[in-house]
Amino acid sequence: MKALLLSLLLLPFAAFAQAPVIQISGANFRPLPLAYPAPLTVDDGGKKATADFDDPFLFDLRASGLFQVLDRASFTADAKEGITAGSINFARWSDVGAESLVKVQLGAEGGTLRGELRLFNVGSGREDFKASHAVPTSEPRQLAHFLADALYRHLTREPSPFLSHIVFVRKARDNRDVWTADWDGNNARALTSGGINLLPALGPDGAVAYTSYRKGQPDLYLQKPGSEAQPIVQNGQMATGVAFSPDGKRIAYAQAQGESTQIYVANTDGSDPKRITDTPYGINSSPSWSPDGKRLAFVSNRGGSPQIYVMNVDGTNARRLTFQGNYNQTPDWSPRGDLIAFTARDERNAFDLFSVNVDTGKITRLTQDQSNNEEPVFSPNGRLILFSSTRTGTAQLFVMTAEGNNPLPLPMGKGGGLTPDWAP
Amino acid sequence: MGMGGGNKGQGRVTMSEINVTPMVDVMLVLLIIFMVTAPLIQQGVKVNLPEAKAAPVEAAEKKLVLSIDAGNRVFIGDAEVLLDELEKKLAANAKAQSEKEIYLHADRDVPYGVVVEVMAAAQRAGITNVGMITDPASKGTRTDPAPGSTGSKGGKKEAKR
């Protein structure tokens, strides 16, 4: 279990005065044992915000895959312990197994909620990092995500997924609606109301594209923040599986064409569509862009069964990537470039998640024996995978590390989610 | 996992497995106990250690230390905990749970019953190894071990023998 595919290294960054950097790759990664006691509060406003701050902050820490978040039930520290190194009895934190200690202090004045975070190295008893941020008192969750992001950036030198957004489909009786939400599934808002709306994609600027039957036929729509949905592909042929290019300027999608389904690339408003696959029969679908925007991963059954392929954006150089299994679909290209995650139906007819290395073709299994798991999508920093799973009975959104470790359900309440997409 | 458990409401199925529960119970009774010499242990709680001539184990690294002082108060490190909460605290403690080992640092005047209660709580919390911290039989001279006073090994101020 400890063989997580990441590694914890102490790199001597001159500019950062020996602050530890968590190197999230390599075979010897071990989650950092981290103690995070309940936030300190300086006034009643801070007290009131505590619960709404604490839950998302803890979820961010737990879901990041970086930390072994220690059980508060074990803590022995004095309840009056403060937020400065001088007031902290580090031996007591070391006694509960902590290597790092995060303390947060909340206070509210006027309409502003202020949070201060400090990170301590328990071994040396030193303060390694501090950050503070202020939000309107109505937004304690945003404060939690912001401070968790600051901590993640300090420890990894990478942006966290905590400030990103997701889009997904939620069932409601006979309808399928498109919803957007914060990365942890909270703050969810329905973009559509009624009808059948499918396979949404989230662009880097917050635009959402999806397939909708609102006019009786499956057309593609684009909905920019704060404006109405506009039809962008509307020609009576089924258009699905839209995906934004990393720069947000183009879309790729699949469109039925007589006996076959072909992949098209167009401008985001649907103009200038170009067909880039050309098989006489069969299906080419589910395009996913490479991070440099030069290639697409897609599904094709040109070899007999649905398999993952990659090709250039102009349709040249199509190459089959998966040779195991006979039903591989829904590829998602990691923003780090090296991996493509996909859904496969295995020998027991269960759907499970796998990843394939784009260069070597090496396949890694990410889920197993947990009912059906489908539709993987990488976080914008490539470290986590969001997917839908029926392991709890109904389809719920789960997040896990890109190596398949530490799966957690999104704390988003009722309704569940399907076919997620994720963007900064 | 069990082959017998999965068939809901389809009649009884013969159990074809060995029932391991009694065996597990036997295993849990086994608590590995060893002696640890005092000079290697820095501790904030003031106790008079018992002396023992048993061959001591040298403490290699810092283990979690449970102390019981002369007033029968129990400490994790230097933080006092109620005996009722000890099991819960230890069960949640990542250090104790990963090492499965604690050191017991009890005053020589603590009743045997209290020591046993503490050891039982540790055992219920899943800890299998208990090191008994003792004074290394230095001819009865040490009545006050001056907490936290000794450091590196070799025990230069021990001047024993």
Side-chain angles (χ1 to χ4, degrees):
Chain A
M1 259 320 176
K2 283 188 179 168
L4 302 180
L5 295 171
L6 314 167
S7 110
L8 185 73
L9 292 178
L10 303 182
L11 295 183
F13 272 91
F16 295 103
Q18 326 137 337
V21 173
I22 298 181
Q23 198 75 22
I24 321 173
S25 58
N28 300 320
F29 172 79
R30 178 183 67 99
L32 179 67
L34 176 92
Y36 160 60
L40 304 163
T41 52
V42 293
D43 49 36
D44 286 346
K47 269 198 195 82
K48 238 169 68 184
T50 301
D52 285 335
F53 174 90
D54 201 36
D55 290 346
F57 190 78
L58 263 175
F59 180 78
D60 287 359
L61 295 183
R62 290 203 176 107
S64 70
L66 297 182
F67 306 112
Q68 177 197 1
V69 181
L70 302 176
D71 188 344
R72 281 182 186 164
S74 71
F75 293 176
T76 55
D78 198 319
K80 291 192 294 265
E81 197 175 85
I83 197 174
T84 53
S87 71
I88 295 171
N89 182 342
F90 286 100
R92 292 194 177 180
W93 293 108
S94 152
D95 278 342
V96 299
E99 291 179 15
S100 286
L101 168 66
V102 165
K103 290 229 171 182
V104 171
Q105 183 165 282
L106 301 176
E109 52 185 86
T112 303
L113 175 67
R114 192 172 296 282
E116 182 181 352
L117 173 146
R118 298 199 191 199
L119 170 71
F120 301 94
N121 180 320
V122 171
S124 69
R126 241 192 13 232
E127 180 180 309
D128 274 349
F129 174 68
K130 79 174 159 188
S132 62
H133 190 58
V135 295
T137 41
S138 56
E139 304 283 349
R141 290 184 164 275
Q142 299 314 315
L143 181 65
H145 293 316
F146 189 93
L147 290 181
D149 176 71
L151 179 67
Y152 190 103
R153 281 174 191 270
H154 168 75
L155 288 169
T156 66
R157 314 282 178 241
E158 286 181 16
S160 80
F162 310 145
L163 299 171
S164 59
H165 293 87
I166 60 172
V167 64
F168 55 91
V169 166
R170 184 173 273 180
K171 290 189 199 176
R173 292 196 184 83
D174 298 333
N175 298 332
R176 303 282 185 278
D177 279 319
V178 172
W179 291 66
T180 59
D182 293 348
W183 92 283
D184 60 0
N186 276 291
N187 223 355
R189 295 171 300 275
L191 281 191
T192 62
S193 54
I196 303 289
N197 305 281
L198 299 169
L199 296 171
L202 187 55
D205 53 358
V208 179
Y210 53 91
T211 302
S212 177
Y213 282 76
R214 66 181 60 181
K215 292 201 176 133
Q217 60 194 31
D219 298 325
L220 279 188
Y221 287 80
L222 177 73
Q223 196 158 344
K224 290 186 173 165
S227 60
E228 289 291 301
Q230 302 294 328
I232 51 173
V233 178
Q234 192 179 26
N235 52 17
Q237 309 276 15
M238 177 148 166
T240 58
V242 63
F244 286 95
S245 64
D247 61 8
K249 290 180 177 156
R250 285 179 296 170
I251 51 171
Y253 56 95
Q255 186 172 309
Q257 203 162 55
E259 295 285 294
S260 68
T261 297
Q262 306 293 349
I263 291 175
Y264 286 72
V265 171
N267 294 326
T268 308
D269 61 4
S271 65
D272 197 18
K274 288 196 175 68
R275 192 182 71 183
I276 59 166
T277 57
D278 186 18
T279 52
Y281 53 86
I283 289 170
N284 302 282
S285 66
S286 301
S288 172
W289 296 79
S290 66
D292 61 6
K294 291 178 178 162
R295 289 192 287 173
L296 289 168
F298 64 106
V299 178
S300 177
N301 64 354
R302 62 185 66 177
S305 60
Q307 298 289 347
I308 311 298
Y309 288 72
V310 295
M311 65 181 166
N312 294 336
V313 167
D314 61 6
T316 58
N317 258 332
R319 173 167 73 91
R320 180 170 165 179
L321 207 52
T322 56
F323 293 89
Q324 292 177 27
N326 57 15
Y327 200 90
N328 298 323
Q329 55 171 358
T330 70
D332 188 64
W333 204 316
S334 164
R336 310 187 70 78
D338 52 346
L339 299 173
I340 291 171
F342 61 96
T343 311
R345 194 176 63 194
D346 71 6
E347 63 283 357
R348 287 174 297 175
N349 279 341
F351 287 99
D352 268 311
L353 305 184
F354 293 78
S355 67
V356 56
N357 186 298
V358 179
D359 295 327
T360 66
K362 183 175 174 287
I363 286 181
T364 307
R365 184 166 198 142
L366 304 177
T367 63
Q368 190 157 25
D369 295 337
Q370 293 281 346
S371 201
N372 288 317
N373 304 282
E374 299 182 62
E375 305 276 353
V377 56
F378 281 96
S379 61
N381 70 357
R383 298 303 190 186
L384 299 176
I385 290 176
L386 182 69
F387 60 104
S388 78
S389 175
T390 54
R391 63 186 65 185
T392 54
T394 57
Q396 299 278 344
L397 294 180
F398 278 70
V399 67
M400 64 180 175
T401 69
E403 293 75 28
N405 294 310
N406 196 36
L408 291 176
L410 292 194
M412 61 195 294
K414 285 185 194 164
L418 294 164
T419 65
D421 194 24
W422 201 342
Chain B
M1 293 289 271
M3 297 169 66
N7 303 348
K8 317 163 191 157
Q10 292 182 5
R12 295 185 164 260
V13 179
T14 311
M15 282 269 288
S16 56
E17 296 165 351
I18 298 171
N19 185 357
V20 295
T21 315
M23 212 151 74
V24 171
D25 282 346
V26 171
M27 297 300 288
L28 285 179
V29 173
L30 300 177
L31 195 60
I32 299 165
I33 297 171
F34 51 93
M35 298 289 177
V36 186
T37 49
L40 296 174
I41 307 298
Q42 299 186 21
Q43 206 46 43
V45 181
K46 185 173 173 180
V47 302
N48 282 335
L49 288 170
E51 292 170 9
K53 289 211 176 71
V57 172
E58 296 225 336
E61 51 189 298
K62 283 185 80 177
K63 300 287 181 194
L64 185 61
V65 177
L66 285 193
S67 299
I68 312 173
D69 72 0
N72 296 343
R73 294 184 302 168
V74 181
F75 299 80
I76 293 176
D78 66 349
E80 185 175 354
V81 291
L82 298 174
L83 191 52
D84 292 346
E85 290 172 1
L86 182 62
E87 179 187 344
K88 199 181 77 192
K89 288 270 183 206
L90 291 177
N93 188 305
K95 185 179 172 78
Q97 292 301 322
S98 71
E99 293 169 350
K100 298 289 177 198
E101 183 167 313
I102 55 160
Y103 287 169
L104 190 58
H105 180 247
D107 195 280
R108 63 171 73 174
D109 295 328
V110 171
Y112 182 62
V114 175
V115 176
V116 169
E117 266 187 80
V118 168
M119 285 171 64
Q123 188 216 36
R124 286 196 306 272
I127 289 156
T128 52
N129 294 16
V130 174
M132 312 292 282
I133 301 175
T134 57
D135 207 344
S138 51
K139 293 181 183 142
T141 51
R142 290 187 50 161
T143 50
D144 180 358
S149 61
T150 53
S152 59
K153 58 179 159 184
K156 53 181 189 260
K157 62 198 291 190
E158 281 300 293
K160 54 187 173 189
R161 284 168 213 173

